[in-house]
Amino acid sequence: MISERFMVIDDHIALTGHASRMGMVRAPVLVSLLGDLFEHVWSRAEPRPRGWKPPFSLTEQEKTVLRMAAEGMTDEVIGRRLGLTSRTVRRHMANAMERIGAHSRLQAGVRIAKAGII
């Protein structure tokens, strides 16, 4: 499991995934590749201007639902974990998608990732 979130530890181990499901990589070639990937992306990163804010705002509940969905959880699982019905989860998702101008969950994920929300 390789995701946009990973950590290389001491050039021998890499952790990748999300907080709820982390995977450990020990193969030297893959650990080296992840280290190189990080260096490549980091060298091209640009700092955000002082006072930068995302182009849209979301409620904490909407952010939580989007984060959990991005980790691969279904509406039913998200609802159980948050004490909500799956219908309420879908409503939060729909509200967030409308606010950020997304027409699909994939597009919503891309937009919130680019905005640095998740």
Side-chain angles (χ1 to χ4, degrees):
M1 151 188 12
I2 303 293
S3 81
E4 73 280 357
R5 294 182 182 185
F6 61 88
M7 178 187 319
V8 177
I9 303 169
D10 201 18
D11 294 330
H12 300 309
I13 297 173
L15 299 176
T16 182
H18 296 282
S20 63
R21 268 187 308 201
M22 293 297 290
M24 185 182 304
V25 178
R26 291 180 184 245
V29 171
L30 293 177
V31 173
S32 176
L33 178 67
L34 286 171
D36 291 347
L37 174 62
F38 172 80
E39 292 300 329
H40 175 77
V41 171
W42 187 253
S43 71
R44 285 158 180 72
E46 296 180 14
R48 289 187 177 150
R50 187 168 231 168
W52 180 89
K53 292 184 179 177
F56 45 79
S57 63
L58 299 171
T59 67
E60 287 306 312
Q61 189 80 296
E62 290 167 347
K63 288 179 192 177
T64 300
V65 166
L66 287 167
R67 230 179 260 115
M68 294 172 86
E71 291 177 5
M73 294 182 204
T74 64
D75 293 345
E76 291 73 22
V77 170
I78 295 169
R80 276 197 304 273
R81 293 202 179 168
L82 299 178
L84 305 170
T85 66
S86 56
R87 182 177 175 175
T88 301
V89 171
R90 284 190 293 277
R91 185 173 46 83
H92 284 308
M93 182 68 72
N95 289 344
M97 288 172 57
E98 181 178 333
R99 198 168 296 147
I100 64 178
H103 301 288
S104 70
R105 286 182 175 217
L106 175 62
Q107 188 179 30
V110 169
R111 288 189 178 183
I112 61 175
K114 282 184 177 179
I117 292 174
I118 61 167

